[in-house]
Amino acid sequence: DVLLHNDILDGLRYLQQQGYLLIIISNQSWIGKGKLSQQEVEEIFDSVVLKLKKYGINVTNYYYCSHKKEIGCGCHKPRSQMLLEAARDYQVDVSKSLLIGDMDRDITAGKNVGLRTVLVRTGCGKRFEDITEADHVIDNINAIREVL
């Protein structure tokens, strides 16, 4: 709840008001490693989506890769399969879209499909701000107005 209030709610609302669809793209190798079940991961995502909805924020959908990184599938970020699938499913113009992430693999995945990229310093972001080629680096999603 603290993270929601302090770091993302205003920024997500702003993105939504600007006409952006909010789509979650996530690596969930916990499933492939046997640490979480697919059902448990989906329950977590559904809970986040429901909580955001209570704050007036509508997540269009979520996509996740359940494979271990070592498998080398096309969906595990930094590969782009999930991004391309989401763009196709929702007729998203990637040249007018952006990817916000907190890891170098997020930024690389976004770059691979022509998205404008934003690294947030929350989560793991501080570890990657000096080595990423993100178009923008911001403290948290609430600071998204600075780059749009």
Side-chain angles (χ1 to χ4, degrees):
D1 285 334
V2 172
L3 176 67
L4 286 177
H5 286 290
N6 293 338
D7 294 340
I8 71 170
L9 288 179
D10 291 338
L12 292 178
R13 275 193 207 100
Y14 179 76
L15 288 167
Q16 197 169 262
Q17 291 165 355
Q18 300 307 305
Y20 288 94
L21 297 178
L22 304 177
I23 300 173
I24 298 169
I25 308 288
S26 179
N27 289 339
Q28 292 297 318
S29 56
W30 297 104
I31 297 170
K33 294 175 183 176
K35 295 184 179 189
L36 287 174
S37 70
Q38 182 172 344
Q39 180 179 342
E40 289 171 313
V41 167
E42 290 189 9
E43 287 172 0
I44 292 167
F45 278 119
D46 290 341
S47 172
V48 169
V49 168
L50 184 60
K51 187 169 277 194
L52 289 171
K53 191 170 190 71
K54 289 179 182 177
Y55 291 103
I57 296 165
N58 298 307
V59 174
T60 299
N61 203 350
Y62 58 83
Y63 296 76
Y64 63 89
C65 171
S66 62
H67 307 112
K68 292 190 283 186
K69 177 182 176 182
E70 299 76 30
I71 298 227
C73 65
C75 52
H76 194 90
K77 292 181 293 179
R79 293 181 185 90
S80 306
Q81 183 177 321
M82 290 187 291
L83 292 167
L84 294 170
E85 185 178 341
R88 184 186 62 243
D89 289 351
Y90 294 96
Q91 295 82 47
V92 171
D93 181 348
V94 294
S95 70
K96 296 179 181 174
S97 302
L98 51 104
L99 181 135
I100 301 170
D102 70 341
M103 300 185 84
D104 59 342
R105 68 183 75 158
D106 298 325
I107 301 308
T108 301
K111 292 281 187 186
N112 286 343
V113 298
L115 291 161
R116 200 163 98 193
T117 57
V118 180
L119 179 78
V120 291
R121 290 185 182 105
T122 51
C124 299
K126 288 181 184 177
R127 291 191 350 225
F128 298 104
E129 70 180 302
D130 293 330
I131 61 169
T132 185
E133 294 187 20
D135 297 310
H136 306 281
V137 178
I138 57 177
D139 286 335
N140 57 50
I141 294 175
N142 284 345
I144 195 66
R145 293 172 192 251
E146 298 171 12
V147 300
L148 289 184

